[in-house]
Amino acid sequence: MYWVRKIKSEILLTPLSWLYGGITALRNFLFDRNILPSENFPLPIICVGNITVGGTGKTPAVEYLIDLLEDKYHLATLSRGYKRRKGGFLLVTPEHTAADVGDEPCQLKHKYPFLTVAVDANRRRGLRNLFAPMNDEATLWTDTDKRPQVIILDDAMQHRYVTPSLTVMLTSYNNLYYRDKMLPAGNLREAASNDKRADIVVVTKCGDLSPDEAQRIEAETGRTINQSLFFSDIQYLDLQPLYTSLVKQNSMNFTSLIDKDVDIVLITGIANPQPLIDKLNTASSRVHLFSFPDHHSFTKKDIEYIDLKFRTLSDKKRLLITTEKDAMRLKMLDYLPNTWKPVMYYAPIRMKFLFGSAERFNFRILNHILSK
């Protein structure tokens, strides 16, 4: 019955996909022919993006690049700041909340305090502001030695008024872009053929991908001679408390959860929580999931609904776990129950490259920056 409904839905939505595809194709044609202007900037600008909606793992990819480059260059990140209250260009400070600047920029600033994190829905304006000292405009930097030498653009493949110097395109293994359909029948923001704008393609969330399967995907992508293809997965780090001063144990690994025999209340507001669900299911047979849409703004009613379940569990054997991104939004709520705080943890993640390819990826990034 599910597949019947799915097929009927796709048939009904296909004409809308044709219309949407035509509009995006025209827009890309105008940029490709330089009828619509795209601006170049004088420093390395690395775009991390995709051509699909949904969770492809952009934030772990951005953090991987930060970890790779932060000791070598003055870095800045620029993103839209999805669902933020404040518009225009803004430099993120540790005092900003997810409501002010968006959950992902807030997460980056908390994790990397010395990183320049900027938000602006207009990427061209945002870059001009970051480059202002070079254009003899009003400077953002009291110390010119701190101005960015490399800028990472988060989720910007469709922002074609800017031409990045290098584009890293992500696609999830469970939803490979070249097998997908255009919105709204599928998840493609633009035609799969626009992968040609990517210099590097990374297949993410691969799990236990075999070399043979990786080879088959490599053949299917039909990449050009100048494009590099990599495979990666999510690596979960130790659970971290949201409220450090209220917990007895500052961090906790997943293996220790098995020994604790706990009930886990899992709260997610991300596009694809399945990897975290699978990870927790290996540690406990009692995972109670409360899943919300991506970038969800948690209301008081949401919290009260979750708390009804939380209060039924033994206060000696219960944990509340969320994602690192959701932690940015949950922590700012003034109606979060006090009973949650001593047992509330988030699960940090990082990107790991498969088949020993991390060194090759790193070389491609570093060599590009040196060549600029």
Short mmCIF file of all heavy atoms in Angstrom, two decimals, residues 1-14 181 184-185:
data_model
loop_
_atom_site.label_atom_id
_atom_site.label_comp_id
_atom_site.label_asym_id
_atom_site.label_seq_id
_atom_site.Cartn_x
_atom_site.Cartn_y
_atom_site.Cartn_z
N MET A 1 0.82 -1.21 0.00
CA MET A 1 0.00 0.00 0.00
C MET A 1 0.86 1.26 0.00
O MET A 1 0.56 2.24 -0.67
CB MET A 1 -0.91 -0.03 1.23
CG MET A 1 -2.09 0.92 1.13
SD MET A 1 -3.22 0.42 -0.17
CE MET A 1 -4.40 1.75 -0.08
N TYR A 2 1.98 1.21 0.77
CA TYR A 2 2.88 2.37 0.82
C TYR A 2 3.42 2.70 -0.56
O TYR A 2 3.44 3.88 -0.98
CB TYR A 2 4.04 2.08 1.78
CG TYR A 2 5.19 3.04 1.64
CD1 TYR A 2 5.12 4.32 2.18
CD2 TYR A 2 6.36 2.68 0.94
CE1 TYR A 2 6.18 5.22 2.04
CE2 TYR A 2 7.40 3.56 0.79
CZ TYR A 2 7.31 4.83 1.35
OH TYR A 2 8.35 5.71 1.20
N TRP A 3 3.85 1.67 -1.29
CA TRP A 3 4.43 1.91 -2.61
C TRP A 3 3.39 2.41 -3.60
O TRP A 3 3.69 3.21 -4.48
CB TRP A 3 5.09 0.63 -3.13
CG TRP A 3 6.35 0.32 -2.40
CD1 TRP A 3 6.57 -0.66 -1.48
CD2 TRP A 3 7.58 1.06 -2.48
NE1 TRP A 3 7.84 -0.60 -0.99
CE2 TRP A 3 8.49 0.44 -1.58
CE3 TRP A 3 7.99 2.16 -3.22
CZ2 TRP A 3 9.79 0.90 -1.42
CZ3 TRP A 3 9.29 2.61 -3.05
CH2 TRP A 3 10.17 1.99 -2.17
N VAL A 4 2.15 1.97 -3.46
CA VAL A 4 1.07 2.46 -4.33
C VAL A 4 0.86 3.96 -4.10
O VAL A 4 0.77 4.75 -5.06
CB VAL A 4 -0.25 1.69 -4.06
CG1 VAL A 4 -1.40 2.34 -4.82
CG2 VAL A 4 -0.10 0.23 -4.47
N ARG A 5 0.80 4.36 -2.83
CA ARG A 5 0.64 5.78 -2.50
C ARG A 5 1.83 6.59 -2.99
O ARG A 5 1.68 7.71 -3.50
CB ARG A 5 0.48 5.97 -0.99
CG ARG A 5 -0.87 5.49 -0.46
CD ARG A 5 -1.13 6.07 0.93
NE ARG A 5 -0.08 5.74 1.88
CZ ARG A 5 -0.10 4.65 2.65
NH1 ARG A 5 -1.13 3.81 2.57
NH2 ARG A 5 0.89 4.41 3.50
N LYS A 6 3.04 6.02 -2.84
CA LYS A 6 4.25 6.72 -3.27
C LYS A 6 4.25 6.95 -4.78
O LYS A 6 4.56 8.04 -5.27
CB LYS A 6 5.48 5.90 -2.87
CG LYS A 6 6.82 6.61 -3.09
CD LYS A 6 7.93 5.75 -2.56
CE LYS A 6 9.30 6.35 -2.59
NZ LYS A 6 9.59 7.41 -3.50
N ILE A 7 3.88 5.92 -5.55
CA ILE A 7 3.85 6.03 -7.01
C ILE A 7 2.79 7.05 -7.45
O ILE A 7 3.03 7.89 -8.32
CB ILE A 7 3.59 4.65 -7.65
CG1 ILE A 7 4.81 3.75 -7.44
CG2 ILE A 7 3.29 4.79 -9.14
CD1 ILE A 7 4.56 2.29 -7.77
N LYS A 8 1.62 7.01 -6.82
CA LYS A 8 0.55 7.96 -7.15
C LYS A 8 1.00 9.38 -6.86
O LYS A 8 0.75 10.30 -7.64
CB LYS A 8 -0.71 7.64 -6.36
CG LYS A 8 -1.50 6.44 -6.88
CD LYS A 8 -2.76 6.24 -6.07
CE LYS A 8 -3.58 5.08 -6.61
NZ LYS A 8 -4.81 4.85 -5.81
N SER A 9 1.67 9.57 -5.73
CA SER A 9 2.15 10.89 -5.35
C SER A 9 3.16 11.41 -6.36
O SER A 9 3.11 12.58 -6.77
CB SER A 9 2.77 10.83 -3.95
OG SER A 9 3.36 12.06 -3.60
N GLU A 10 4.09 10.53 -6.79
CA GLU A 10 5.10 10.95 -7.75
C GLU A 10 4.48 11.33 -9.09
O GLU A 10 4.89 12.28 -9.74
CB GLU A 10 6.14 9.84 -7.93
CG GLU A 10 7.07 9.69 -6.73
CD GLU A 10 8.13 8.64 -6.96
OE1 GLU A 10 8.11 8.02 -8.04
OE2 GLU A 10 8.98 8.45 -6.06
N ILE A 11 3.45 10.58 -9.50
CA ILE A 11 2.77 10.87 -10.77
C ILE A 11 2.11 12.24 -10.71
O ILE A 11 2.20 13.04 -11.65
CB ILE A 11 1.73 9.77 -11.09
CG1 ILE A 11 2.45 8.46 -11.43
CG2 ILE A 11 0.82 10.20 -12.24
CD1 ILE A 11 1.52 7.27 -11.58
N LEU A 12 1.46 12.53 -9.58
CA LEU A 12 0.77 13.82 -9.43
C LEU A 12 1.75 14.98 -9.36
O LEU A 12 1.47 16.08 -9.84
CB LEU A 12 -0.10 13.79 -8.17
CG LEU A 12 -1.33 12.88 -8.21
CD1 LEU A 12 -1.98 12.80 -6.84
CD2 LEU A 12 -2.34 13.39 -9.24
N LEU A 13 2.92 14.74 -8.76
CA LEU A 13 3.88 15.82 -8.55
C LEU A 13 4.83 16.01 -9.73
O LEU A 13 5.50 17.04 -9.82
CB LEU A 13 4.70 15.55 -7.29
CG LEU A 13 3.93 15.60 -5.97
CD1 LEU A 13 4.83 15.15 -4.82
CD2 LEU A 13 3.40 17.01 -5.70
N THR A 14 4.89 15.05 -10.64
CA THR A 14 5.85 15.12 -11.75
C THR A 14 5.70 16.39 -12.59
O THR A 14 6.71 17.03 -12.94
CB THR A 14 5.75 13.86 -12.63
OG1 THR A 14 6.19 12.73 -11.85
CG2 THR A 14 6.63 13.99 -13.86
N LYS A 181 14.92 12.59 -8.12
CA LYS A 181 14.09 13.39 -9.02
C LYS A 181 14.02 14.82 -8.53
O LYS A 181 14.31 15.11 -7.37
CB LYS A 181 12.67 12.79 -9.08
CG LYS A 181 12.62 11.38 -9.65
CD LYS A 181 11.19 10.87 -9.67
CE LYS A 181 11.14 9.45 -10.24
NZ LYS A 181 9.77 8.92 -10.25
N PRO A 184 8.99 18.87 -6.68
CA PRO A 184 8.66 18.26 -5.39
C PRO A 184 8.48 16.74 -5.43
O PRO A 184 8.25 16.13 -4.41
CB PRO A 184 7.32 18.93 -5.04
CG PRO A 184 6.67 19.14 -6.37
CD PRO A 184 7.80 19.44 -7.33
N ALA A 185 8.64 16.13 -6.61
CA ALA A 185 8.49 14.67 -6.69
C ALA A 185 9.67 13.97 -6.03
O ALA A 185 9.55 12.86 -5.53
CB ALA A 185 8.37 14.22 -8.14
#
